[in-house]
Amino acid sequence: MNKEKFYITTAIAYSSQKPHIGNAYDIVLADMIARYKRMMGFDVYFMTGSDEHGQKIEDCAKAKGVSPKEYVDEVSSLIKDVWNSLGTSYDKFIRTTDDYHEKAVQKIFKKLYDQGDIYKSEYTGKYCVPCESFFTPSQLVDGKCPDCGREVVDAKEEAYFLRLSKYQDKLLEYFEQNPDFIAPESRKNEMINNFLKPGLADLCVSRSSFKWGVPVEFDDRHVIYVWIDALSNYITGIGYDPDGSSDMYKKYWPADLHVIGKDIVRFHTIYWPIILMALGEPLPKKVLGHPWVLVGEDKMSKSRGNVIYADELAARFGSDSVRYYLLSEMPFAQDGTITYEAFIAKFNTDLANTLGNLVNRTIAMTNKYFGGTVHKGELSGEFDESLAACARETAEKYIKLMDDYKNADAVAAVMDFARRCNKYIDETMPWALAKNEDDKERLNTVLYNLLESIRILANLLLPIMPESSASIKAQTGCDTEGFEFGAVDSYTVGAATPLFARLDAERVLAELALEAEAKKAAAEKKNDNVISLPQISIDDFAKVELTTARVTACEPIKKAKKLLKLTLDDGSGTPRTVASGIALYYKPEELIGRTVIVVSNLKPAVLCGVESNGMILAADAGENDVKVIFADDIGPGARVR
């Protein structure tokens, strides 16, 4: 029997820099959907990749002193590494510098030109370099790019244009006939009200002011606009060719789902469908424009200094914990948020306490009371029936939510079931049953019911946390698929191995703070095409208040190997507390009585429970060597000028 096909793609990552955790949500969400569809019996093809052309990449390569191809080779490899660190199961990673893709894009452009859907004219307007996007003045927001909020530049050059206006009514009709084409609903309304109803201007689809792109085959002064190039990957990657497409293309197209960020919905639901209409090809069945991952209240960016990298998070806490956080904290239509504090709290509450504890103590009790083997018993009590009913209801709810791509709600349903299992332990009290030989069969039934629930949990968690799902199955000694309660006759479990070790929040946050300081210092020290730090004015320097202070007390900070707590007399009459990462280089007694220089107007920060009011000046004296700058011949309270 042939399986029903399911072709899913992500937006291909732009190869200007290493992707951060917000970029990684795309691939994690798509991977969850792909794994779920495979689990449900679909023939899944899952494609992702890297978008490697454009002016921004040409500029980045020039700044680094390498060719654009060398630059994108490095960044594309980084993207793959990040995706792989998150345990993603893509079938293909396409690069827009792949020869077959570039040739197919040239044919697509030529076909559209030959049939009159592309024409040559001159572009005059506003251009956003980071987004590689043109805008009319009315589309700008406060004079800036409506997508990223950055400054735009005036642009005037000869260019080729795609006749969007020709297909406007046809696209609007398609939206009306296919109400589920765009999700969530708010994204569709935005496209209709902001772009289609006001009227589509024809789209500039070539550039002549830079060279890093796919050349227009019949006019080599032009390169093909990045969005035609990038969007076409969804069909070129499975064998589309205007001269005759592959069997693979015929099998998998149209795509069942494009998974993209909300900031590029316009390109995927207006430009891309019109390109396909002009080519005479079917449109994708659905475009899912997911929300953003914010750090606190802000969008992630290097300029804000708030970037969190998914691979670094996975290396520290495990890929499944990163996947779990993203999939459980991102609502269907609203932006989600991540902070280290929130991540650690959710890790401890959901993964260590609820799920990990459930599995660990169930396996341990099965080994302790029955030598590791229990058999199916009768559902003899209200607690048993309630647990079995919860398993059935959870599976039904989960399938509906996963089919609707409501990942956060689906994850919540699974975790609610895990909590119900923990409640079942409290209700049945296996430890009390174990004390009475007459209750041994009842104890067997209780532990079987728990193991059967855990098996179902492992299957529900497979698309969300594949490594943890596999670990649970290994510990229960059972890999039976499906969600039916009572499907397994008996269990012989393995050794109880903790899934998630509880995190010491204060210690971890302190380590992260120190690592961030070290990275910042290393970045400032590294000579990466920069001779020195940018110059500052005397007014800027005057904002930094440097004061001498005598160390009156010093002690280690509990659970922080690198931190010392210093109590300082800075001449103000009020003791000042500073936490400093110098514990590896100085003993407390070596500092007491010494005079140091402190940045006294630094904003307070809490490190390992200690409020630090300032920073001690110290010098990097070589590898693994830090020297505090002492001023012992000067009394406390002197201003350093």
Side-chain angles (χ1 to χ4, degrees):
M1 181 177 176
N2 291 330
K3 293 182 179 180
E4 184 178 351
K5 71 92 179 173
F6 189 84
Y7 177 34
I8 180 172
T9 72
T10 71
I12 52 178
Y14 197 49
S15 300
S16 59
Q17 60 186 4
K18 177 181 174 179
H20 55 60
I21 189 104
N23 307 133
Y25 180 63
D26 228 37
I27 190 76
V28 171
L29 175 59
D31 184 70
M32 181 204 74
I33 295 168
R35 288 179 181 273
Y36 168 72
K37 290 296 183 180
R38 291 190 196 106
M39 183 173 73
M40 301 304 286
F42 285 77
D43 174 6
V44 174
Y45 195 78
F46 174 20
M47 192 167 76
T48 187
S50 52
D51 175 7
E52 303 182 12
H53 291 126
Q55 183 177 347
K56 186 176 180 180
I57 287 173
E58 187 174 87
D59 292 344
C60 288
K62 184 177 180 180
K64 197 170 182 180
V66 298
S67 71
K69 185 61 166 65
E70 290 173 317
Y71 186 86
V72 296
D73 282 349
E74 179 181 347
V75 179
S76 180
S77 179
L78 280 175
I79 294 167
K80 268 189 175 181
D81 289 344
V82 174
W83 285 189
N84 293 340
S85 76
L86 296 168
T88 55
S89 60
Y90 54 86
D91 296 293
K92 182 170 184 174
F93 190 98
I94 186 173
R95 298 180 58 185
T96 57
T97 53
D98 290 338
D99 287 345
Y100 71 88
H101 170 79
E102 292 189 342
K103 289 174 183 176
V105 166
Q106 287 180 317
K107 289 183 179 181
I108 289 169
F109 194 94
K110 179 75 161 51
K111 176 181 173 69
L112 297 178
Y113 178 78
D114 288 345
Q115 65 191 33
D117 286 310
I118 286 179
Y119 63 94
K120 183 187 278 190
S121 185
E122 185 178 75
Y123 177 81
T124 303
K126 302 296 184 179
Y127 182 70
C128 177
V129 174
C131 292
E132 306 262 2
S133 300
F134 292 98
F135 298 98
T136 62
S138 63
Q139 290 175 320
L140 301 179
V141 177
D142 297 327
K144 297 180 180 180
C145 173
D147 290 337
C148 72
R150 294 182 177 92
E151 297 290 340
V152 293
V153 297
D154 291 322
K156 182 177 181 179
E157 61 183 79
E158 180 184 83
Y160 288 89
F161 288 79
L162 176 65
R163 297 186 192 275
L164 295 184
S165 53
K166 174 181 174 181
Y167 294 92
Q168 176 175 310
D169 292 343
K170 186 176 180 181
L171 182 59
L172 190 55
E173 181 183 355
Y174 184 84
F175 281 10
E176 292 169 352
Q177 293 176 352
N178 298 272
D180 297 328
F181 175 57
I182 307 173
E185 180 80 11
S186 58
R187 309 274 189 260
K188 181 180 74 174
N189 296 335
E190 181 185 348
M191 294 303 107
I192 292 172
N193 295 328
N194 294 354
F195 297 100
L196 286 176
K197 285 187 176 179
L200 293 176
D202 289 349
L203 178 69
C204 179
V205 292
S206 78
R207 297 295 307 278
S208 59
S209 57
F210 62 90
K211 292 298 182 184
W212 182 240
V214 180
V216 174
E217 189 177 18
F218 53 87
D219 190 348
D220 61 9
R221 292 178 301 123
H222 291 259
V223 294
I224 297 170
Y225 180 58
V226 67
W227 281 105
I228 281 191
D229 172 15
L231 289 165
S232 297
N233 92 88
Y234 302 128
I235 54 177
T236 64
I238 53 172
Y240 173 78
D241 188 315
D243 296 335
S245 299
S246 69
D247 290 340
M248 184 178 188
Y249 175 77
K250 294 171 185 175
K251 175 182 178 181
Y252 284 109
W253 192 259
D256 294 271
L257 184 65
H258 288 325
V259 177
I260 62 167
K262 66 178 184 179
D263 52 328
I264 53 175
V265 169
R266 172 164 53 99
F267 303 103
H268 285 79
T269 62
I270 295 179
Y271 303 163
W272 179 226
I274 286 176
I275 291 168
L276 290 167
M277 286 176 176
L279 291 172
E281 298 297 322
L283 272 58
K285 295 179 182 178
K286 185 181 278 291
V287 177
L288 176 61
H290 64 71
W292 284 338
V293 181
L294 305 178
V295 176
E297 299 295 324
D298 297 322
K299 188 178 177 183
M300 244 170 286
S301 74
K302 279 191 173 182
S303 62
R304 289 191 178 99
N306 65 351
V307 175
I308 297 174
Y309 291 107
D311 57 335
E312 295 175 6
L313 210 58
R316 178 182 285 275
F317 301 109
S319 63
D320 272 8
S321 63
V322 180
R323 292 171 64 102
Y324 179 80
Y325 186 91
L326 290 175
L327 294 170
S328 63
E329 285 296 304
M330 291 294 291
F332 184 65
Q334 289 81 40
D335 293 336
T337 184
I338 184 171
T339 63
Y340 287 120
E341 291 84 354
F343 182 93
I344 293 167
K346 195 165 191 68
F347 181 102
N348 284 338
T349 301
D350 290 2
L351 300 183
N353 292 358
T354 299
L355 179 63
N357 194 35
L358 168 66
V359 174
N360 190 259
R361 59 179 176 164
T362 299
I363 300 294
M365 286 190 291
T366 304
N367 280 316
K368 180 179 180 180
Y369 300 139
F370 291 98
T373 299
V374 294
H375 59 268
K376 185 177 181 179
E378 295 294 328
L379 297 179
S380 57
E382 61 175 321
F383 300 137
D384 300 0
E385 293 287 355
S386 174
L387 183 68
C390 186
R392 290 190 292 270
E393 291 165 6
T394 298
E396 291 171 4
K397 186 176 182 181
Y398 169 89
I399 291 170
K400 175 67 169 64
L401 291 168
M402 291 289 272
D403 285 344
D404 290 339
Y405 310 126
K406 294 185 176 179
N407 48 282
D409 293 333
V411 174
V414 175
M415 202 52 59
D416 284 344
F417 180 47
R419 293 187 188 94
R420 179 66 188 86
C421 293
N422 279 314
K423 183 181 178 183
Y424 178 78
I425 294 177
D426 296 336
E427 291 168 337
T428 56
M429 296 186 293
W431 53 89
L433 294 173
K435 294 177 181 179
N436 192 335
E437 186 66 26
D438 293 340
D439 291 328
K440 191 164 186 178
E441 186 59 31
R442 174 61 183 156
L443 176 60
N444 169 88
T445 298
V446 166
L447 292 176
Y448 169 87
N449 290 343
L450 284 168
L451 288 168
E452 186 68 341
S453 298
I454 289 170
R455 175 188 68 82
I456 293 169
L457 275 170
N459 289 331
L460 294 169
L461 288 168
L462 174 60
I464 301 158
M465 297 191 292
E467 289 184 4
S468 300
S469 174
S471 177
I472 293 170
K473 290 179 179 182
Q475 290 188 53
T476 61
C478 179
D479 60 1
T480 301
E481 298 177 351
F483 310 132
E484 181 186 352
F485 194 94
V488 177
D489 290 330
S490 65
Y491 283 90
T492 298
V493 303
T497 305
L499 288 173
F500 301 97
R502 185 174 174 81
L503 301 173
D504 182 325
E506 281 196 0
R507 179 181 61 79
V508 173
L509 290 172
E511 289 174 355
L512 289 167
L514 289 171
E515 288 173 11
E517 287 182 13
K519 284 182 182 178
K520 183 178 179 181
E524 291 172 350
K525 183 178 178 183
K526 183 180 179 182
N527 183 6
D528 187 13
N529 296 318
V530 179
I531 296 174
S532 63
L533 292 174
Q535 292 183 336
I536 62 173
S537 69
I538 188 66
D539 292 335
D540 291 328
F541 178 73
K543 295 176 184 177
V544 182
E545 188 175 274
L546 301 175
T547 308
T548 58
R550 182 168 290 119
V551 182
T552 59
C554 184
E555 60 181 314
I557 295 178
K558 187 180 180 182
K559 299 179 182 178
K561 295 180 180 179
K562 299 179 181 180
L563 290 176
L564 290 179
K565 176 184 175 183
L566 288 80
T567 303
L568 306 177
D569 172 12
D570 61 3
S572 66
T574 302
R576 176 187 292 270
T577 300
V578 171
S580 180
I582 54 174
L584 299 180
Y585 313 103
Y586 291 91
K587 296 178 181 178
E589 57 267 25
E590 294 177 314
L591 297 171
I592 296 174
R594 304 294 300 270
T595 299
V596 297
I597 299 173
V598 61
V599 180
S600 54
N601 63 338
L602 191 67
K603 184 178 179 180
V606 176
L607 298 175
C608 279
V610 174
E611 183 176 83
S612 180
N613 293 275
M615 179 181 291
I616 304 299
L617 293 194
D620 186 348
E623 189 173 356
N624 297 319
D625 188 16
V626 171
K627 301 290 186 185
V628 172
I629 299 173
F630 294 111
D632 292 332
D633 55 343
I634 303 175
R639 180 77 182 271
V640 179
R641 302 179 184 276

